[in-house]
Amino acid sequence: MSDQTGKQMSKEEKDARFEAELLPVLDPLYNFAYRLTLDEDDANDLVQETYLKAYRFFDYFEQGTNAKAWLFRILKNSFINEFRKKSKQPAKVDYSEVEGYYNSEDVEGESGVATTTDMRTESVQDLIGDEVASALNALPVDFRTVIILCDLEGFTYEEMAKILDIPIGTVRSRLHRARNSLKEKLEKYARSMGYND
Amino acid sequence: MESKFTEAYEQSASESGHETNCEKIIKLLDAVVDGEASAEEQIFFNGHIEECVPCFESHQKQKLLKGLVSGHLKRRIVPDRLAFSIKAKIQETTV
């Protein structure tokens, strides 16, 4: 009985430590999962699985070290092993984001809310965001991954190398090719909007 | 004439494996915008773009591109039930 209580206590302590150290990473981890899978349900499953794996291996996690990089690495491995096959193809664009934008415009128009300068600016910002998301989603997953890790999550090249299990030189060259590809897609969009350079 | 000679020289130097300064700058663009360039690389970079308009413009474009992703890509909102569900599954797990 006392053994059981001791075990129970240690599990409670472990759970508390786990939640305190790893759950604050939930928001960036979910965003990463969504940008990899391009699907809310798959992102949900992937994040849950990542936390369960992290829990199983939590004894190997050194307290106070980079929890975010550790979780991102586990999630990336889970994605490659189990989710990659069923995830959406890169060519598919996330039309729900664009759709949401136009629908919200309609609703605002019908309710008679005056469009202030601020709201206009916000709408343009949203539209740029939609275009960036579409261009990013159309990239191959390896390219998408390095751009998200670097530009959205602010990981260093060294952290990215650890998360992705590749040398820093490969991080650099992949990032270079990924950005060139993204630039090409966004320039095509800019030209279609009448910007020549 | 002189600039043509220089271009031709730089072209042949590049083909024989010697990079021009502009080629070196293009390779450094990512490291510079990501704050990963060494002090020496940064000094070389700054010195070159002060004098070279195309490389200066390439740097501006690269900064803009990074800014588009970091500043305009909307973050997905985590479903409310996700944290709750993770906590529940962990509590069920026996180790």
Side-chain angles (χ1 to χ4, degrees):
Chain A
M1 185 70 187
S2 62
D3 279 349
Q4 204 181 356
T5 313
K7 200 177 175 184
Q8 189 64 33
M9 280 302 288
S10 92
K11 177 169 164 56
E12 277 173 12
E13 277 171 7
K14 182 182 170 179
D15 288 2
R17 230 194 84 196
F18 182 87
E19 284 182 23
E21 291 218 32
L22 303 189
L23 274 186
V25 187
L26 180 60
D27 178 65
L29 203 66
Y30 178 78
N31 270 280
F32 185 41
Y34 178 80
R35 294 288 165 204
L36 291 180
T37 59
L38 304 179
D39 183 276
E40 284 183 11
D41 290 335
D42 283 349
N44 250 307
D45 292 347
L46 186 52
V47 169
Q48 287 218 28
E49 190 169 321
T50 300
Y51 272 106
L52 288 177
K53 275 187 189 163
Y55 187 75
R56 284 203 293 276
F57 293 106
F58 193 50
D59 292 339
Y60 298 98
F61 174 71
E62 218 174 297
Q63 202 167 358
T65 59
N66 195 335
K68 189 176 170 185
W70 189 62
L71 283 171
F72 269 61
R73 185 184 157 98
I74 296 173
L75 187 139
K76 186 269 306 178
N77 287 336
S78 299
F79 174 72
I80 287 174
N81 295 335
E82 292 144 57
F83 285 83
R84 202 167 192 163
K85 283 176 208 152
K86 66 170 181 169
S87 74
K88 285 182 184 175
Q89 291 304 304
K92 281 194 184 174
V93 166
D94 186 5
Y95 287 111
S96 63
E97 286 189 8
V98 184
E99 217 171 37
Y101 166 77
Y102 285 113
N103 288 344
S104 68
E105 283 282 287
D106 288 348
V107 172
E108 276 167 17
E110 281 165 14
S111 64
V113 178
T115 309
T116 64
T117 312
D118 282 352
M119 282 172 73
R120 271 182 214 275
T121 312
E122 208 172 286
S123 300
V124 172
Q125 303 270 346
D126 281 352
L127 200 58
I128 295 169
D130 292 337
E131 222 33 68
V132 175
S134 298
L136 189 68
N137 293 352
L139 294 181
V141 71
D142 285 345
F143 282 3
R144 242 184 296 155
T145 305
V146 285
I147 289 179
I148 294 158
L149 294 179
C150 187
D151 295 346
L152 206 60
E153 300 303 338
F155 283 114
T156 64
Y157 288 0
E158 198 181 338
E159 287 168 333
M160 286 162 72
K162 283 181 187 157
I163 292 168
L164 301 173
D165 275 324
I166 53 176
I168 287 187
T170 312
V171 170
R172 279 174 177 252
S173 61
R174 195 175 289 177
L175 194 56
H176 184 70
R177 286 184 293 139
R179 283 192 175 136
N180 279 350
S181 197
L182 184 65
K183 212 185 294 176
E184 219 171 81
K185 287 182 195 306
L186 287 171
E187 276 172 357
K188 209 177 279 177
Y189 167 71
R191 274 196 297 275
S192 75
M193 296 292 284
Y195 297 98
N196 290 324
D197 201 14
Chain B
M1 265 314 268
E2 195 185 327
S3 67
K4 274 186 183 169
F5 171 78
T6 313
E7 279 166 24
Y9 172 77
E10 287 187 344
Q11 180 73 22
S12 68
S14 168
E15 279 167 6
S16 65
H18 298 289
E19 284 179 316
T20 63
N21 281 350
C22 292
E23 284 169 341
K24 284 181 193 166
I25 290 296
I26 297 302
K27 284 190 176 170
L28 279 177
L29 275 178
D30 294 288
V32 169
V33 298
D34 296 330
E36 296 263 355
S38 69
E40 279 177 11
E41 287 172 331
Q42 191 70 56
I43 290 167
F44 166 70
F45 189 90
N46 292 344
H48 182 86
I49 63 164
E50 271 179 28
E51 294 167 356
C52 179
V53 174
C55 285
F56 173 81
E57 285 175 352
S58 297
H59 182 222
Q60 295 299 312
K61 273 191 182 176
Q62 203 77 354
K63 280 198 290 189
L64 178 70
L65 185 72
K66 189 177 170 79
L68 280 175
V69 177
S70 59
H72 291 281
L73 197 66
K74 280 179 273 178
R75 298 191 79 93
R76 308 292 298 195
I77 296 165
V78 181
D80 291 337
R81 63 187 185 284
L82 187 56
F84 179 78
S85 160
I86 289 166
K87 283 183 197 172
K89 281 201 158 83
I90 283 160
Q91 277 163 18
E92 283 168 16
T93 308
T94 50
V95 180

